[in-house]
Amino acid sequence: MFLGDELRTGGLSEVRRAFDMSNPDGAFAAIKLLRQEEDNAVLETFLGRETQSLKQLEHPNIVRMLDSGWDGDLGRYFIALEWVDRSLKDDLAARRPMSWAAFFDQIGRPLIGALSYAHGLEIEHRDLTSCFSTVGRSMTSRTVSWIR
């Protein structure tokens, strides 16, 4: 069940907030809906690569994948991820200026740790921007959008 009309868009997808029905705490999930294309082979390849990468990544600064597949009701491929309320871009715009040391501790080090971990598994981040980096409940940076 999608919540509200808020929509985050990317190159091949749109992301909607929904209830995570499998979570007993009633958490939210981010449902990444792949855009319809005339050539579904491209979408299937993209979905396969991204989900294969996400299944391997278990790190506190990488957003977890919850599920993926085909939604027959919507007629679209999807990837379900942990919901994170704010993008890093939004968080930085709302904050007071911070020192480089504070920036590195709160944002730089967590992102570098996530990238280092993924690169050790030979998985690359495909679009590392402030829009695809997020600030989680612990106020440290987390990242999404991985591909092998």
Side-chain angles (χ1 to χ4, degrees):
M1 169 190 303
F2 295 125
L3 301 171
D5 294 330
E6 181 183 352
L7 185 67
R8 298 175 184 174
T9 59
L12 287 176
S13 64
E14 60 188 45
V15 178
R16 305 281 308 266
R17 185 170 68 151
F19 279 116
D20 180 356
M21 304 298 275
S22 66
N23 188 319
D25 296 331
F28 296 119
I31 308 301
K32 183 175 186 175
L33 298 167
L34 301 183
R35 294 202 178 147
Q36 289 295 89
E37 297 287 331
E38 287 187 26
D39 184 5
N40 272 348
V42 171
L43 286 179
E44 289 172 9
T45 299
F46 172 80
L47 179 72
R49 287 182 179 172
E50 187 158 4
T51 58
Q52 178 186 13
S53 296
L54 285 167
K55 286 177 186 176
Q56 294 178 47
L57 297 171
E58 293 184 35
H59 188 276
N61 300 109
I62 297 175
V63 174
R64 284 183 312 116
M65 183 179 77
L66 305 172
D67 196 8
S68 67
W70 173 260
D71 185 302
D73 292 338
L74 296 174
R76 293 172 77 177
Y77 290 104
F78 74 92
I79 300 173
L81 303 157
E82 287 179 287
W83 176 261
V84 181
D85 287 322
R86 300 175 306 195
S87 74
L88 180 56
K89 179 180 177 181
D90 295 338
D91 188 65
L92 288 174
R95 285 185 190 220
R96 294 184 348 207
M98 67 175 84
S99 70
W100 281 110
F103 178 86
F104 183 72
D105 285 342
Q106 294 175 29
I107 296 165
R109 187 185 320 266
L111 288 178
I112 290 169
L115 289 170
S116 177
Y117 167 78
H119 289 175
L121 296 173
E122 298 183 0
I123 297 172
E124 298 177 16
H125 198 286
R126 64 180 170 82
D127 189 10
L128 186 60
T129 66
S130 60
C131 295
F132 289 107
S133 300
T134 61
V135 179
R137 291 179 284 292
S138 63
M139 294 305 292
T140 59
S141 295
R142 302 176 82 197
T143 190
V144 296
S145 298
W146 300 90
I147 198 146
R148 193 171 199 61

Coordinates of all heavy atoms in Angstrom, one line a residue, residues 3-4 6 13 25 35 58 67-68 87 92 97 103 115 120 123 128 130 134 137 148:
L3 N 1.8 5.2 0.3 CA 1.4 6.2 1.2 C 1.6 7.6 0.6 O 2.7 7.9 0.2 CB 2.2 6.2 2.5 CG 2.1 4.9 3.3 CD1 3.1 4.8 4.4 CD2 0.7 4.7 3.8
G4 N 0.6 8.4 0.4 CA 0.7 9.7 -0.1 C 1.1 9.7 -1.6 O 1.2 8.7 -2.2
E6 N 3.9 11.5 -2.6 CA 5.3 11.8 -2.7 C 6.0 10.8 -3.6 O 5.8 9.6 -3.5 CB 6.0 11.8 -1.3 CG 7.5 12.1 -1.4 CD 8.2 12.0 -0.1 OE1 7.5 11.8 0.9 OE2 9.4 12.2 -0.1
S13 N 13.7 4.7 -12.8 CA 12.7 4.3 -11.8 C 12.0 5.5 -11.1 O 12.5 6.7 -11.3 CB 13.3 3.4 -10.8 OG 14.3 4.1 -10.1
D25 N 7.3 -4.1 13.3 CA 7.3 -2.8 13.9 C 6.6 -1.7 13.1 O 6.5 -0.6 13.5 CB 8.8 -2.3 14.1 CG 9.5 -3.2 15.1 OD1 8.9 -3.8 16.0 OD2 10.8 -3.3 14.9
R35 N 10.6 1.9 -14.6 CA 9.8 2.5 -15.7 C 9.5 1.5 -16.7 O 10.4 0.7 -17.1 CB 10.4 3.7 -16.3 CG 10.5 4.8 -15.2 CD 10.7 6.1 -15.9 NE 10.7 7.1 -14.8 CZ 11.4 8.2 -14.8 NH1 12.1 8.5 -15.8 NH2 11.4 9.0 -13.7
E58 N 25.7 -6.2 3.0 CA 25.2 -6.1 4.4 C 26.1 -5.2 5.2 O 27.2 -5.7 5.6 CB 25.1 -7.5 5.0 CG 24.0 -8.3 4.4 CD 23.8 -9.7 5.1 OE1 24.0 -9.7 6.3 OE2 23.6 -10.6 4.4
D67 N 13.0 -6.9 -0.8 CA 12.4 -7.8 -1.8 C 12.5 -7.2 -3.2 O 12.9 -6.1 -3.3 CB 10.9 -7.9 -1.4 CG 10.2 -9.1 -2.1 OD1 10.9 -10.0 -2.7 OD2 9.0 -9.2 -2.0
S68 N 12.2 -8.1 -4.2 CA 12.2 -7.6 -5.5 C 11.4 -8.6 -6.4 O 11.1 -9.7 -6.0 CB 13.7 -7.5 -6.1 OG 14.2 -8.8 -6.2
S87 N 17.2 12.7 2.1 CA 18.4 12.6 1.3 C 19.5 13.4 1.9 O 19.2 14.4 2.7 CB 18.1 13.0 -0.2 OG 18.1 14.5 -0.2
L92 N 21.8 18.3 4.2 CA 22.8 19.4 4.2 C 22.2 20.8 4.0 O 22.7 21.7 4.6 CB 23.8 19.1 3.1 CG 24.8 17.9 3.4 CD1 25.6 17.6 2.1 CD2 25.6 18.1 4.6
P97 N 26.1 25.3 8.8 CA 27.4 24.9 8.3 C 28.1 24.1 9.4 O 28.0 24.4 10.6 CB 28.1 26.2 8.0 CG 27.0 27.2 7.8 CD 25.9 26.8 8.7
F103 N 31.9 17.1 9.2 CA 31.4 16.6 7.9 C 32.0 15.2 7.7 O 31.3 14.3 7.3 CB 31.8 17.5 6.8 CG 31.3 17.0 5.4 CD1 30.1 17.2 5.0 CD2 32.2 16.3 4.7 CE1 29.7 16.8 3.7 CE2 31.8 15.8 3.4 CZ 30.5 16.0 3.0
L115 N 31.5 2.4 0.6 CA 32.2 2.2 -0.7 C 33.3 1.2 -0.6 O 33.5 0.3 -1.5 CB 32.7 3.5 -1.3 CG 31.6 4.5 -1.7 CD1 32.3 5.8 -2.0 CD2 30.9 4.0 -2.9
G120 N 35.3 -4.1 -2.1 CA 36.0 -5.4 -1.6 C 35.2 -6.6 -2.2 O 35.8 -7.6 -2.4
I123 N 31.8 -4.7 -6.2 CA 30.5 -4.1 -6.5 C 30.8 -2.6 -6.5 O 31.3 -2.0 -5.6 CB 29.4 -4.4 -5.5 CG1 29.1 -6.0 -5.6 CG2 28.1 -3.7 -5.8 CD1 28.2 -6.4 -4.5
L128 N 27.0 7.9 -7.3 CA 27.2 8.5 -6.0 C 27.0 10.0 -6.0 O 27.9 10.7 -6.3 CB 28.6 8.1 -5.4 CG 28.8 8.5 -4.0 CD1 27.9 7.8 -3.1 CD2 30.3 8.1 -3.6
S130 N 24.6 13.3 -3.9 CA 23.9 13.5 -2.6 C 22.4 13.1 -2.7 O 21.7 12.9 -1.6 CB 24.0 15.0 -2.2 OG 23.4 15.8 -3.2
T134 N 21.8 9.1 1.8 CA 20.7 9.4 2.7 C 21.3 9.6 4.1 O 22.4 9.2 4.4 CB 19.7 8.3 2.7 OG1 20.3 7.1 3.1 CG2 19.1 8.1 1.3
R137 N 18.4 7.1 10.6 CA 18.0 7.4 12.0 C 19.2 7.7 12.9 O 19.1 8.5 13.8 CB 17.2 6.2 12.6 CG 15.9 6.0 11.9 CD 15.1 4.9 12.5 NE 15.5 3.6 12.0 CZ 15.4 3.1 10.7 NH1 15.0 3.9 9.8 NH2 15.8 1.9 10.4
R148 N 26.8 -4.4 -10.2 CA 28.0 -5.3 -10.4 C 28.5 -5.1 -11.8 O 27.8 -5.0 -12.7 CB 27.6 -6.7 -10.1 CG 28.8 -7.6 -10.0 CD 28.3 -9.0 -9.6 NE 29.2 -9.9 -9.0 CZ 29.9 -9.7 -7.9 NH1 29.9 -8.6 -7.2 NH2 30.7 -10.6 -7.5

